[in-house]
Amino acid sequence: MELASLLQYLISGLTNGAIYALIALGFVIIYHATTIINFAQGEMVMLGALCAISIYHHYPSLPVAFVGGVVLVTIVGILFERLALRPVRDPNPLTLIIITVGGAVFLKGVAMILWGKEAYSLPSFSGDTPFHLGGATLLPQNLWVMGLTALVLLALESFFRLTLTGKAMRACAYNPRAARLVGISQSRMVLLSFALAAALGAGAGILIAPLTLGVYDMGTMVGLKGFCAAILGGLGSSFGGVLGGLILGVAESLATGLISSGYRDAVAFFILLLVLFIRPQGLIRGGS
Amino acid sequence: MRSRGIAVILVFLMGVLLLAAGCAKGPETEPYVVGGIFSITGPASYLGEPERNTMEMLAASINAAGGIKGHPLKVVIYDDEGDVTKARLHAEKLLTKDGAISIIGPSLTHTSMTVLDITQKAKLPLISCAAGVGITAPADKRQWVFKTAQTDQMAVSRIYQYLQKQGTTKVAILTVSTGFGVSGKGQLISQAPQYGIQVVAQEVFGEKDTDMTPQLTKIRGTDAQVVICWGTGPAPALVAKNMKQLGLTLTLIQSHGAASQKFIELAGDAGEGILLPAGKLAVYTQLPDTDPQKAVCKAYADQYQAKFKKPVSSFGGYAYDALNMLTKVLNQSGKDKEKIRSGLEGIKNYVGVSGVFNMSPEDHNGLTPAAFVMVKIDKGQFKLVD
Amino acid sequence: MNPRQFLNPWVLFGAAVLLTAAALHNDYYLTLINFIGIHTLLVVGLNLLMGYAGQISLGHAAFFGLGAYTSGILTATYGVDPWLAMLAGMLVCGLTAFLIGVPALKLRGYYLAMATLGFGIILYIVFNEAESWTGGPSGLTGIPDLSLFGFKLDTPKRLFLLIWPVLGGIMALSANLVDSRTGRALRALHEGEAAAQSLGVNTSRLKLMIFVWSALYASLAGSLYAHTLNFIAAASFGFMFSIKLVTMVVLGGMASIWGSFLGAAVLTVLPEMLTMFHDYEVIIFGVILMVVMIFLPRGLVRGIMDLWEFRRYKKEGGIIG
């Protein structure tokens, strides 16, 4: 029984961790290209979930809802970069933090008007019959979340390391001036990174909607945890971000199960402080 | 030089504020002004929105019927977003700027606590729509405060009465970390011995948490016969889903916070068989015709659904009862605040949506556990069981 | 007294406070102004840290809450004298700031932002979960009124007469600090840490000192807040409030004591004015945040001054240097 419980905590932790990881990847991508932290990333998750749910209500096909949600949110991400970040005159971190927080507040408000304050559900991708695994159970949706996270990580890593565009994006973060000198259009890279991050966030939102339901204020906490994960992983590395997410998820789940459920959210931030104070460069050194 | 410029701006701003304050003291207005403070946005919007809707709807129909003693009824409603600072400011505004003769709300226990502090000082009747027992107790310190929401104390008694009948002795509780959950947890623990019930596990979860499998896994390791979940919003539905995922077959009992059609929709298949205490509004069609509340609930539900095209919620019912009782008292005694207070205190056998109210100087809520019925979710519908 | 002296901002400030006390009797406006005062106190402290020392804090609401809860718990639960409790609050806050500041201030930029954010959220969770002390989410009731020389400060007017003179004193103190040797060292620090070090400034000690200093202001503001409301609940000390404080600093203008007042006033009054927009209030707030930051990144006052100067230069055909 004790072992089965432990396994259950692990499964629950890995699923949540994979979600944090997906969101952390969004932070990492934007940071890669711009060294901006986009506090509105969590809202992309929310928008993805709610858009997909709305599409599903009109046209009940999950693949259509998934693609439609991702496309819509990607457009939002592009608009956000063009309208709110491009015109900034004085791009220091503080200004950018406040603008993205303002963007998050704005998007949340719009979602509240469009969808109201109720939660909505989305059916699971492949049913709700749980698998049994050594006394523990897991849903097909858990596997979807973990599997897709792994896939996205692989795709991203190869994009950054193998393609020209990916390398150009990394160059922009490393040294914008030098990147410009060799003919990389920085503004295109920034736009691309926001579009990519928004798409990822939306995908994460749609993936978790069957497990967590979709509601207009779901983005904030999930965004912060994702950010925690990104920092844990050293901000610059996608692999680090995923590792950070998984560590956070498992630690939270174990703390809930073995210590106390009241301080669950504090665990993530406590680990964050510990890592920052002891090893401020993150668990894995940034990719740049 | 620059700081002097700023100082001049500062003094100018103060002047503007003063002028605005001067203008605010207009002539005595004709209508009866009743204030409303609800959490219309923010985390508790599921409470505030139906409350606001109900209050506006009811005021419109009162005015259509000629108002109160020939005076039109004017409702001024503010949104506190669940924030105590805002609630306090709105209460001050209603008191001194809008000239309210009485305030309905706030929606939450903590916002009510901060508002009642000044309405008490100002001797203004306040009818809270929040659940906390501490709002109207101790009675001698809360002379000007009333409330129409059933307290968690009653919901817990109702659940335990039912469990005692079923012969259940061991329960696990899972409560949300908000005022609602904390207060429910306190009642669940303190009342258990009276009914011969033992609380074998106490777990909590956050309002916005989306995965409760760790807590439930922990509960699985105990010998609990029943899980009681105390929460509001989407989280209780997720508890139901997580239990199904874990293959946990224990009976799940939810609080009255889950007594909405929305809960059934969110929980889906996992909702089947869940028991919960609910106000009679949730199952009014199944009540016997002899039940006096049946007609009141039907009238409210029909009017609300016709106007807002949304299912009626028992939270809106709190505002419905509050404004109706207030109107009744105003019709009898006019706008004198002391008369309103004593009028409210003297209400007996008032049949409302949330129960039958019997106010007294010792009890400014006036409801009993009988305000709740036990219902079961059966094929996507609430079914009256006890 | 010559006219120049008469235009001294401090004299004007005092006159404005007295005038307000004499002429304003509406409790709603007085309460609003009291909250503006409390917020200004917080923002002045945060501005010392952000504007002058160049360090960001996204967890300042935690110090505000720590002050409020220390005052609240000591007076309501243990019956300690409110003024003594206020001092205890500052002691607790100062000590916490010191302990957190030592490791945290070694970090820079986003890392420092994240550390303070994490600290803020952890404390918020503690306020929420430690029910037996803090009353948890339902709040802590029964916080007594302050009294001064036998006068109970139980009306908004009386509280106004405490909060605003205290604020005036704190603002004067801060202005002095900024103009002192320490202030010059601070500005050197803001311009560049390495440069400041090379000038013989002990930067880490200086940063820590300002961090503790701003926590003390926040604690004082928290205590005043607790005694103004006579009730506190954890929801007031969350992440969004920290963000709001930072926004007040930036809106008013970094490194400007008077600007702090303006930022606090605008962001306290604005939501009150936006209530008529009901659900759209949040959206408008978000848009304002973004628009101000995009077009007036140096804050309202200086932003408007810049625009004005820009126009004047254009009119006179001058070139902006």
Side-chain angles (χ1 to χ4, degrees), chain A residues 168-233:
Chain A
M169 269 174 96
R170 279 169 57 205
C172 277
Y174 188 65
N175 190 338
R177 184 170 291 176
R180 221 172 15 244
L181 281 176
V182 296
I184 298 169
S185 158
Q186 203 201 357
S187 77
R188 252 191 55 211
M189 291 302 140
V190 172
L191 192 66
L192 186 65
S193 73
F194 269 85
L196 210 60
L200 256 188
I206 302 168
L207 212 51
I208 63 173
L211 292 173
T212 67
L213 307 174
V215 59
Y216 81 99
D217 61 353
M218 68 191 278
T220 313
M221 201 53 181
V222 125
L224 283 180
K225 296 267 181 73
F227 185 24
C228 259
I231 290 253
L232 275 187

Side-chain angles (χ1 to χ4, degrees), chain A residues 12 16 117 119 217 257 261, chain B residues 40 203-204 208 211 218 262:
Chain A
S12 153
N16 282 321
K117 294 145 194 165
D217 61 353
S261 37
Chain B
I40 303 167
E203 295 297 325
V204 297
K208 297 283 158 216
D211 174 32
K218 213 167 157 186
K262 192 75 203 172

